[in-house]
Amino acid sequence: MKVLVPVKRVVDYNVKVRVKSDQTGVDIANVKMSMNPFDEIAVEEATRLKEKGGVTEVVAVSCGVAQSQETLRTAMAIGADRGVLVQTDAELQPLAVAKLLKALVDKEQPQLVILGKQAIDDDANQTGQMLAALLDWPQATFASKVELGDGQVTVTREVDGGLETLTLKLPAIITTDLRLNEPRYVTLPNIMKAKKKPLDTVTPEELGVDAAPRLKTLKVTEPPARKAGIKVPDVATLVEKLKNEAKVI
């Protein structure tokens, strides 16, 4: 069984982002970039399924600029067997990424696609669902447990009321939640091994996909600063302020 794992290069989650002075977007110049945390969970899960013997090959895929090769090398250091980069300098929105992934799925013919439920830069939470719709494959989102069976996969997913268990016929799409696993620490020997693993590069044009953006960002602004809180001397003063100033009681 072959598993395809899309990964995205995003601003590292520890970095405090700043809006550009012209408000056209977020400034990423000289900013640390890393793999989207949800995608890292997806790579870890695919690697664990391979280690259990249910998967024979894990293919990591990324769409974006040339520097995304670093993200793919990280995925291969975790356990992916090879990488594919769809290289483009254009802005990629979820629908374009889903179309690119569909073209790669048609080419690679995997039985399972595991990807993060969302990217921490745009928080769109759309690509997995759009890919499932384009392929007409069953999908299980927000997975917290994945078990492979004979021609099917059982997924436990988190819903508002608790947990829901789904059984999907393969091929299928799975998006990962935070509690699915804890990604392993990438060791230096595995980083060195990843450098020797094959990494192919294609373009959207070669895949026959129009990746032009459908949406236009008009303006990006920082959220307003929060006002400082105040201390009150006693409970009576607190009740008085809640009643007369905040008017919440």
Side-chain angles (χ1 to χ4, degrees):
M1 176 188 289
K2 182 188 294 187
V3 177
L4 200 71
V5 185
V7 296
K8 186 176 183 180
R9 179 176 182 264
V10 299
V11 175
D12 189 86
Y13 65 91
N14 288 314
V15 173
K16 179 175 174 57
V17 295
R18 289 180 171 81
V19 175
K20 292 180 181 178
S21 58
D22 58 2
Q23 296 186 324
T24 58
V26 172
D27 187 5
I28 60 172
N30 302 316
V31 170
K32 182 184 178 183
M33 308 291 283
S34 62
M35 186 190 303
N36 178 47
F38 291 102
D39 297 339
E40 194 173 359
I41 292 170
V43 178
E44 174 67 26
E45 190 64 22
T47 302
R48 292 187 184 187
L49 292 174
K50 182 185 175 185
E51 291 170 347
K52 291 177 182 177
V55 172
T56 55
E57 185 181 25
V58 177
V59 183
V61 178
S62 190
C63 305
V65 295
Q67 291 89 333
S68 297
Q69 292 185 26
E70 301 169 8
T71 307
L72 287 172
R73 292 295 179 192
T74 301
M76 288 187 277
I78 294 174
D81 298 290
R82 59 187 175 91
V84 179
L85 172 62
V86 183
Q87 186 171 330
T88 176
D89 292 328
E91 177 193 355
L92 291 176
Q93 295 175 350
L95 180 59
V97 175
K99 290 180 177 179
L100 292 170
L101 293 178
K102 179 184 182 299
L104 286 173
V105 168
D106 293 339
K107 180 180 179 182
E108 294 284 346
Q109 294 295 307
Q111 285 73 51
L112 190 62
V113 179
I114 306 178
L115 64 164
K117 70 173 184 177
Q118 64 193 71
I120 62 172
D121 52 1
D122 57 16
D123 278 331
N125 186 15
Q126 296 175 345
T127 304
Q129 292 88 327
M130 288 178 170
L131 179 60
L134 292 172
L135 290 169
D136 196 23
W137 284 10
Q139 62 175 313
T141 57
F142 317 138
S144 59
K145 186 178 180 181
V146 176
E147 294 178 312
L148 281 178
D150 185 15
Q152 64 184 29
V153 59
T154 301
V155 178
T156 302
R157 59 188 301 268
E158 298 185 356
V159 295
D160 290 340
L163 299 176
E164 180 182 54
T165 302
L166 302 175
T167 299
L168 313 177
K169 290 184 178 180
L170 297 176
I173 307 288
I174 296 174
T175 70
T176 63
D177 209 342
L178 280 175
R179 281 162 288 281
L180 178 58
N181 61 53
E182 184 176 341
R184 68 193 68 187
Y185 177 77
V186 179
T187 60
L188 182 59
N190 286 333
I191 293 174
M192 301 307 292
K193 290 177 184 177
K195 292 182 178 181
K196 298 180 180 179
K197 292 182 179 180
L199 195 161
D200 300 323
T201 301
V202 296
T203 64
E205 291 74 23
E206 291 173 348
L207 295 175
V209 175
D210 177 16
R214 266 56 175 179
L215 303 175
K216 181 180 179 182
T217 301
L218 301 179
K219 185 171 66 172
V220 177
T221 58
E222 292 186 3
R226 295 179 62 182
K227 295 181 179 179
I230 61 171
K231 292 183 177 180
V232 293
D234 49 44
V235 175
T237 306
L238 173 62
V239 172
E240 189 273 330
K241 286 185 176 294
L242 289 175
K243 185 177 182 179
N244 299 321
E245 293 185 18
K247 298 187 184 301
V248 294
I249 59 173

